[in-house]
């Protein structure tokens, strides 16, 4: 009986010893190849002396099967680029109001691991983001170059303005220097974004200094009439905010991502309203699809992951998901929600398109990453990653 008990006791002890020996082999005490995950480690864990990072966030918020409504090609999903920060590549951030762009913009200048980090002086709104060893900017954004193409410049403004501004800033000839411009942006659920903009305007925001340049000129007052008289629209009720037909909050994301010159800019009489909406939506989808990267406010961790996979750059701290926004605290009836969705019908369709493409890009990258890790383990060129639950 005692001999049988000793044999039974030997099995778990041997198993524990085997695991301990195996772990010491994979993660020797004097190495930094394996880390237990803790709350402050964020999304990634270091597994090699070269500071390469491995994504470890669970996919609990990713549907097991994404409903396919749109046809995306392999090129649409695989958007990795060799971003040459030492060369002439420029990242251009198209900042749409109330999409979390301020937070993301700060990540770009303060939270990326760089050989030469952006120089952000206390008390100053802008940071100096130079290439290593060169006094030239690699980032065009609110927090690096300021509103050089106008306040919250849209796709139409940026694509015509950015090359000129960058050549002037860096004192380069356009003929001698051909840069690669990589446009990026953030999108948000249209109803939440609309409510957030309303609350912002209610507190006094106007964006009066926005240029809205298109085909070489700003819109006339007849083309873009003001929604209010006076200095601002402080205290505006939601019903009044929704009632102004020229309110740029309506379908703002489609307008800011589309090529406005296709529909005569802000001249509403150039094409019918139905045709205008169709053309703008198609243009916004195409421009978004061709952007090397965009993120969604509702998926902060996945936004971080896709940015890092796309550009080969790493953030120092993990992104955080904040759902307790001003828009989230606004209680509206179903009737009001339907009205907002109707006013933003183009944005609703664009966001549905953007969300599926975003989740498919994420899924595609996770599959590629797993394949890369299997190949590293198979050919012996990588470091074995130990998953301990």
């Amino acid at each position: 009986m005692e001999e049988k008990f000793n044999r039974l006791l030997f099995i778990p002890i041997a198993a524990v010893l085997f695991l301990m020996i195996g772990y010491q082999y994979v993660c020797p005490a004097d190495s930094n190849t394996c880390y237990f995950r803790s709350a402050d480690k964020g999304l990634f864990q270091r597994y090699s002396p070269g500071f390469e990072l491995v994504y470890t966030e669970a996919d609990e918020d990713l549907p097991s099967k994404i409903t396919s409504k749109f046809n995306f090609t392999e090129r649409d999903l695989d958007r990795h680029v060799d971003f040459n920060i030492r060369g002439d590549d420029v990242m251009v951030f198209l900042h749409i109001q109330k999409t979390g762009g301020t937070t993301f913009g700060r990540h770009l200048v303060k939270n990326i691991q760089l050989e030469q980090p952006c120089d952000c002086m206390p008390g100053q709104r802008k940071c100096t983001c130079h290439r290593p060893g060169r006094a030239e900017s690699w980032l065009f954004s609110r927090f690096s170059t300021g509103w050089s193409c106008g306040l919250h410049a849209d796709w139409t403004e940026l694509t015509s303005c950015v090359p000129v501004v960058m050549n002037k800033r860096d004192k380069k000839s356009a003929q001698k220097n051909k840069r690669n411009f990589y446009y990026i942006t953030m999108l948000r659920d249209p109803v939440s974004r609309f409510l957030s903009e309303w609350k912002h305007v209610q507190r006094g925001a106007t964006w009066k200094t926005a240029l809205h340049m298109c085909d070489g000129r700003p819109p006339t007052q007849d083309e873009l009439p003001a929604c209010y008289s006076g200095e601002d629209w402080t205290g505006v009720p939601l019903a009044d905010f929704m009632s102004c037909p020229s309110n740029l909050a309506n379908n703002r994301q489609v307008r800011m991502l589309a090529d406005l010159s296709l529909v005569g800019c802000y001249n509403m009489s150039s094409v019918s309203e139905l045709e205008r909406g169709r053309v703008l939506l198609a243009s916004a989808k195409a421009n978004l699809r061709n952007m090397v990267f965009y993120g969604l406010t509702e998926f902060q961790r996945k936004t971080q992951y896709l940015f890092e996979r796309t550009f080969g750059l790493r953030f120092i701290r993990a992104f955080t998901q904040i759902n307790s926004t001003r828009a989230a605290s606004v209680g509206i009836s179903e009737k009001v929600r339907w009205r907002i969705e109707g006013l933003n019908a183009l944005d609703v369709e664009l966001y549905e398109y953007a969300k599926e493409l975003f989740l498919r890009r994420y899924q595609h990258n996770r599959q590629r990453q797993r394949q890369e890790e299997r190949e590293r383990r198979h050919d012996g060129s990588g470091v074995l990653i130990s998953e301990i639950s």
Side-chain angles (χ1 to χ4, degrees), residues 87-88 134 136 167 170 172-179:
D88 295 309
R134 292 163 60 189
E136 294 181 4
N167 284 331
D170 297 338
K172 286 196 172 186
S173 168
Q175 288 76 21
K176 293 181 180 179
N177 181 65
K178 291 185 178 180
R179 292 183 174 88

Side-chain angles (χ1 to χ4, degrees), residues 239 242-244 334-344:
M242 292 190 295
S243 297
C244 178
E334 280 301 307
K335 185 177 180 180
V336 172
R337 175 174 289 276
W338 293 337
R339 175 79 192 283
I340 294 174
E341 288 177 348
L343 290 171
N344 293 274

Side-chain angles (χ1 to χ4, degrees), residues 95-379:
H95 185 170
I96 302 172
Q97 288 95 318
K98 314 313 295 178
T99 58
T102 298
T103 298
F104 185 76
R106 289 196 178 106
H107 280 306
L108 292 177
V109 297
K110 295 184 177 181
N111 193 26
I112 298 182
Q113 291 181 3
L114 295 170
E115 180 182 345
Q116 182 173 325
C118 295
D119 186 10
C120 301
M121 301 295 291
Q124 293 185 0
R125 292 187 178 182
K126 292 192 297 183
C127 303
T128 301
C129 297
H130 282 164
R131 306 181 191 277
R134 292 163 60 189
E136 294 181 4
S137 300
W138 59 268
L139 174 65
F140 189 100
S141 76
R142 168 189 179 181
F143 292 118
S144 57
T145 52
W147 301 114
S148 301
C149 291
L151 179 64
H152 285 286
D154 55 36
W155 189 91
T156 307
E157 294 175 289
L158 287 176
T159 51
S160 63
C161 168
V162 169
V164 177
V165 169
M166 293 300 291
N167 284 331
K168 187 180 296 184
R169 283 176 60 91
D170 297 338
K171 299 177 181 178
K172 286 196 172 186
S173 168
Q175 288 76 21
K176 293 181 180 179
N177 181 65
K178 291 185 178 180
R179 292 183 174 88
N180 293 316
F181 293 104
Y182 296 105
Y183 285 81
I184 65 176
T185 194
M186 290 288 293
L187 296 183
R188 185 179 182 183
D189 168 75
V191 174
S192 297
R193 200 216 64 79
F194 185 86
L195 289 171
S196 182
E197 180 164 344
W198 164 59
K199 297 298 287 184
H200 199 54
V201 169
Q202 197 179 51
R203 296 192 301 274
T206 63
W207 299 297
K208 280 183 178 179
T209 57
L211 301 176
H212 305 304
M213 295 291 292
C214 181
D215 285 349
R217 68 173 182 88
T220 65
Q221 191 171 355
D222 290 337
E223 290 174 334
L224 189 62
C227 286
Y228 57 90
S229 58
E231 291 298 315
D232 55 41
W233 215 0
T234 300
V236 58
L238 180 57
D240 291 352
F241 190 74
M242 292 190 295
S243 297
C244 178
S246 60
N247 190 350
L248 291 180
N250 300 340
N251 293 311
R252 182 179 287 280
Q253 296 179 103
V254 164
R255 180 183 62 80
M256 291 189 67
L257 288 173
D259 181 356
L260 297 178
S261 64
L262 297 174
V263 292
C265 300
Y266 292 89
N267 181 2
M268 299 300 173
S269 63
S270 59
V271 294
S272 68
E273 183 179 355
L274 187 64
E275 178 65 9
R276 181 183 180 86
R278 185 193 67 78
V279 172
L280 288 180
L281 179 60
S283 177
K285 285 181 177 179
N287 289 337
L288 185 72
R289 184 176 63 251
N290 291 325
M291 277 186 178
V292 69
F293 163 84
Y294 67 89
L296 298 183
T297 309
E298 291 76 18
F299 297 93
Q300 290 292 317
R301 297 295 183 95
K302 289 175 175 57
T303 293
Q304 176 178 356
Y305 173 75
L306 282 178
F307 180 93
E308 294 183 330
R309 287 282 297 182
T310 301
F311 286 101
L313 297 171
R314 299 290 181 257
F315 289 101
I316 301 166
R317 296 174 302 279
F319 287 17
T320 56
Q321 188 72 52
I322 301 174
N323 295 318
S324 57
T325 62
R326 289 188 175 92
S329 65
V330 176
I332 57 174
S333 65
E334 280 301 307
K335 185 177 180 180
V336 172
R337 175 174 289 276
W338 293 337
R339 175 79 192 283
I340 294 174
E341 288 177 348
L343 290 171
N344 293 274
L346 300 179
D347 271 11
V348 169
E349 189 167 342
L350 175 69
Y351 187 79
E352 184 182 11
Y353 180 89
K355 185 176 178 180
E356 181 179 327
L357 178 56
F358 177 88
L359 292 178
R360 288 198 175 280
R361 283 183 178 178
Y362 174 81
Q363 190 178 60
H364 176 81
N365 275 274
R366 290 303 306 271
Q367 291 171 350
R368 286 288 298 272
Q369 182 188 349
R370 294 188 187 103
Q371 180 182 348
E372 290 163 6
E373 290 170 355
R374 285 195 297 269
E375 289 172 355
R376 281 199 298 267
R377 287 195 293 266
H378 183 265
D379 64 18

Side-chain angles (χ1 to χ4, degrees), residues 19-32:
L19 286 174
M20 290 177 65
I21 294 170
Y23 180 73
Q24 287 297 317
Y25 174 78
V26 174
C27 304
D30 60 349
S31 78
N32 61 350

